[in-house]
Amino acid sequence: LKDTTVLYGYSRLNSEEIFHIADTPFNVEYMPCVEKYGEGIVIEMDSTTLKNCDQADVKIIVHTLAHAVIKEMEFECGYDSTSFKEKIYIDTEKNKYGCIVYCVAGADGSMGGIASLFDSNKVFELIENAVDRLEMCPHDPICSIEKGHCYACLDLSEVTCHEGDSLDRRKMLEYVKKLNN
């Protein structure tokens, strides 16, 4: 997996003003960037079940699954959750939904821990365990009554996730029940 980060602009400390390197990325001869290599897992969700869900709920379900997988990978791969990154993919026109959870070099992810899950098909077991762990949170009933997520069950640091509030394990479990019926 290759992760490319391009510096398009910057801001000063305690300033909301953003200074752009160029008006558009195509106006300059070069832009500072970094390429990192790592490993990851792509998960495609069942499109027929998600197609019938409310669009706001679809993002929550896919995002919740990504966090559940990251939390489970902490146990299986031995990586800290701050080593992971996530990308959520929702294409309603093509009816495709999914996520990618990955680590890149410089973090723990260059050690082969994720790739080793595919040697014995443990990746399917990892996803099942991740979903099963959503049944209960150490902070229940408060967690499930309040927001449906907390640091004990789904929340991750800002290094890993920038959209922490679009999570709800209750909606994810409803989706799983629809799949099993």
Side-chain angles (χ1 to χ4, degrees):
L1 180 117
K2 179 167 84 171
D3 180 35
T4 305
T5 305
V6 178
L7 179 64
Y8 181 67
Y10 62 93
S11 64
R12 299 283 184 202
L13 195 60
N14 298 328
S15 171
E16 292 188 22
E17 183 180 3
I18 296 176
F19 300 96
H20 295 282
I21 293 174
D23 295 336
T24 68
F26 308 107
N27 269 6
V28 293
E29 291 181 34
Y30 67 90
M31 295 180 85
C33 70
V34 129
E35 287 183 344
K36 297 178 186 174
Y37 293 90
E39 56 187 349
I41 176 174
V42 176
I43 303 169
E44 188 173 332
M45 312 263 309
D46 179 54
S47 59
T48 55
T49 311
L50 282 173
K51 185 170 62 173
N52 300 326
C53 292
D54 177 26
Q55 282 309 113
D57 288 349
V58 169
K59 181 180 179 189
I60 290 170
I61 291 167
V62 175
H63 193 205
T64 300
L65 178 65
H67 279 234
V69 167
I70 289 172
K71 288 282 195 177
E72 191 65 25
M73 281 186 168
E74 285 184 291
F75 298 114
E76 291 293 326
C77 301
Y79 299 161
D80 185 68
S81 67
T82 57
S83 300
F84 292 98
K85 293 186 180 208
E86 64 176 354
K87 296 283 185 195
I88 308 301
Y89 299 100
I90 298 172
D91 187 343
T92 52
E93 290 178 19
K94 293 182 180 175
N95 204 23
K96 297 270 187 186
Y97 310 95
C99 60
I100 181 170
V101 173
Y102 64 101
C103 290
V104 292
D108 295 328
S110 58
M111 295 183 202
I114 297 173
S116 69
L117 295 173
F118 294 92
D119 292 342
S120 59
N121 285 332
K122 285 183 75 175
V123 70
F124 300 113
E125 186 179 320
L126 178 135
I127 294 169
E128 285 179 26
N129 290 343
V131 172
D132 288 346
R133 282 188 202 275
L134 294 178
E135 288 284 342
M136 233 174 106
C137 171
H139 295 151
D140 275 343
I142 296 169
C143 176
S144 76
I145 293 170
E146 293 282 320
K147 298 188 294 184
H149 64 93
C150 68
Y151 277 101
C153 60
L154 283 172
D155 290 353
L156 299 169
S157 70
E158 288 181 8
V159 174
T160 304
C161 176
H162 303 287
E163 302 177 36
D165 280 345
S166 62
L167 300 166
D168 192 333
R169 61 190 178 94
R170 298 166 299 194
K171 289 183 182 179
M172 179 67 196
L173 292 170
E174 286 173 19
Y175 165 73
V176 170
K177 285 178 188 173
K178 286 180 187 177
L179 280 177
N180 292 334
N181 289 336

